[in-house]
């Protein structure tokens, strides 16, 4: 689901109130820059992409994978049809490099982190804004807004130039970025981690150990 | 009156110059030249105003219905620049500080 119109309107209204004399086009440029940086640093936008592999894919050969939207920034992991992790690398984003050979013709799945890319919509409420999932702006709107404010206020010789406030907003943005990075790794679980041992591995429980 | 077309700019500027009765002291071509100068000067001061243009727009007195691609909030500043340019041409010494004041006001409004 792309950015939601009301989230974008709220963001633009807030930015225009805080940035006297700022032009819409200049704000949209910085929104793209901030979202790109945010997505690259946090890995919060992820997608699983299936690809075919066979023994003919030799060691260090490459396989191209294409996401449904955006562009690939980082490879998180690769699993085979049995959900077992397989070794692959990605020296060039979008091109998997074979490290571990497949034993037969199989479909493996690459989990990748995405970031925004061109082309941008040229008209409508989302004109000049990147096509990213709407929940990201909805969830991190204050942090992203501070990122845009920091970049705008750091520009020289503008009516809204304000180096002190730029530093403050950059700090708020960095906090949001760190929060996003952590929540991405924990898959938005409260006080948890993304991965845990399957419970079939648990052979002993504390309550059965008869302490004392 | 909103500043949208070249005619809107000329009307506003003529009002400020007290040059509203024909025959005019300042020809349309001179005022439009000043508008074009304001465009190039604004590109120097505020490149973000024109980043989407590979070549800057240029206006002509023969097409005064053309829309001026300047954000409404900076339209008046452009008019002040045009007035300043006209005042610079006047030969009287007393006009020079006035002209400079208009040109500085333009720069102050943009930055």
């Amino acid at each position: 689901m792309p950015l939601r119109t009301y989230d974008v309107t709220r963001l633009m209204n807030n930015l225009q109130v805080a940035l006297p004399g700022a032009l819409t086009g200049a704000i949209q440029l910085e929104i793209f820059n901030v979202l790109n940086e945010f997505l690259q640093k946090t890995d919060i936008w992820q997608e699983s992409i299936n690809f075919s592999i066979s023994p003919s894919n030799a060691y260090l050969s490459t396989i191209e994978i294409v996401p449904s939207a955006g562009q690939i920034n980082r490879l998180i992991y690769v699993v085979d049809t049995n959900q077992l992790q397989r070794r692959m690398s990605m020296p060039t984003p979008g091109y998997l490099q074979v490290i571990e050979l497949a034993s037969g013709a199989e479909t493996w799945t690459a989990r990748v982190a995405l970031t925004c890319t061109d082309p941008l919509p040229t008209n409508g409420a989302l004109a000049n804004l990147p096509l990213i999932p709407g929940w990201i702006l909805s969830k991190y709107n204050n942090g992203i807004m501070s990122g845009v404010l920091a970049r705008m206020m750091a520009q020289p010789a503008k009516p809204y130039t304000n180096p002190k406030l730029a530093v403050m907003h950059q700090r708020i943005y960095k906090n949001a970025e760190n929060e996003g990075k952590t929540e991405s790794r924990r898959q938005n679980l409260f006080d948890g981690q993304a991965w845990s041992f399957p419970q079939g591995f648990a052979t002993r429980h504390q309550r059965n150990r008869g302490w004392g | 009156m909103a500043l949208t077309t070249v005619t809107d700019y000329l009307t506003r500027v003529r009002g400020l110059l007290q040059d509203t009765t024909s025959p005019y002291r300042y020809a349309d071509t001179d005022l439009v030249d000043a508008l074009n100068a304001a465009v190039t000067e604004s590109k120097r001061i505020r490149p973000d105003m024109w980043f989407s243009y590979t070549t800057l727009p240029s206006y002509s007195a023969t097409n005064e219905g053309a829309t001026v691609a300047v954000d409404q909030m900076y339209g008046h500043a452009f008019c002040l620049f045009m007035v300043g340019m006209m005042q610079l041409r006047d030969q009287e010494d007393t006009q020079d500080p006035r002209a400079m004041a208009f040109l500085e006001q333009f720069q102050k409004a943009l930055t």
Side-chain angles (χ1 to χ4, degrees), chain A residues 121-187:
Chain A
T122 51
N123 49 38
L126 303 178
N128 302 319
L129 294 172
L131 297 167
I132 65 164
W135 66 267
I136 295 175
L137 181 58
S138 184
K139 184 172 180 184
Y140 298 102
N141 57 350
N142 281 341
I144 289 166
M145 184 174 72
S146 280
V148 179
L149 287 173
R151 281 172 167 268
M152 294 291 284
M153 288 176 171
Q155 292 177 5
K158 301 284 190 310
Y160 43 83
T161 300
N162 191 329
K164 279 186 181 170
L165 273 182
V167 170
M168 187 197 85
H169 282 295
Q170 182 66 9
R171 205 169 292 152
I172 296 171
Y173 166 73
K174 281 290 170 192
N175 282 343
E177 202 178 81
N178 289 333
E179 191 184 324
K181 202 183 294 181
T182 308
E183 291 191 321
S184 163
R185 286 184 186 161
R186 293 179 176 173
Q187 297 286 287

Side-chain angles (χ1 to χ4, degrees), chain A residues 21-23 25-26 29 157-160, chain B residues 46 48-49 51 71 73-74 109-111:
Chain A
L23 298 164
L29 275 182
K158 301 284 190 310
Y160 43 83
Chain B
R46 285 287 299 273
D48 58 319
M49 288 181 118
F51 71 85
D71 194 284
M73 64 181 152
Y74 290 113
L110 263 60
T111 58

Side-chain angles (χ1 to χ4, degrees), chain B residues 2-110:
Chain B
L3 292 167
T4 309
T5 63
V6 174
T7 306
D8 298 335
Y9 279 76
L10 299 194
T11 307
R12 172 79 63 95
V13 171
R14 285 199 187 286
L16 292 168
L17 287 166
Q18 298 189 14
D19 185 27
T20 52
T21 311
S22 182
Y24 299 122
R25 273 190 300 142
Y26 304 102
D28 279 3
T29 49
D30 295 339
L31 291 176
V32 174
D33 277 350
L35 174 60
N36 287 327
V39 170
T40 50
E41 189 66 2
S42 66
K43 165 82 174 174
R44 182 182 67 80
I45 302 169
R46 285 287 299 273
D48 58 319
M49 288 181 118
W50 305 104
F51 71 85
S52 58
Y53 289 79
T54 45
T55 51
L56 285 177
S58 181
Y59 303 101
S60 156
T62 57
N63 183 17
E64 292 183 2
T67 301
V68 179
V70 172
D71 194 284
Q72 290 283 324
M73 64 181 152
Y74 290 113
H76 187 67
F78 275 60
C79 290
L80 294 180
F81 183 89
M82 291 164 74
V83 172
M85 287 292 281
M86 293 303 106
Q87 301 272 288
L88 271 181
R89 292 181 0 164
D90 284 348
Q91 293 297 308
E92 300 160 37
D93 292 343
T94 52
Q95 290 294 73
D96 285 350
R98 188 172 150 80
M100 293 315 295
F102 279 116
L103 297 178
E104 279 170 18
Q105 192 59 38
F106 169 73
Q107 179 145 356
K108 208 181 260 182
L110 263 60

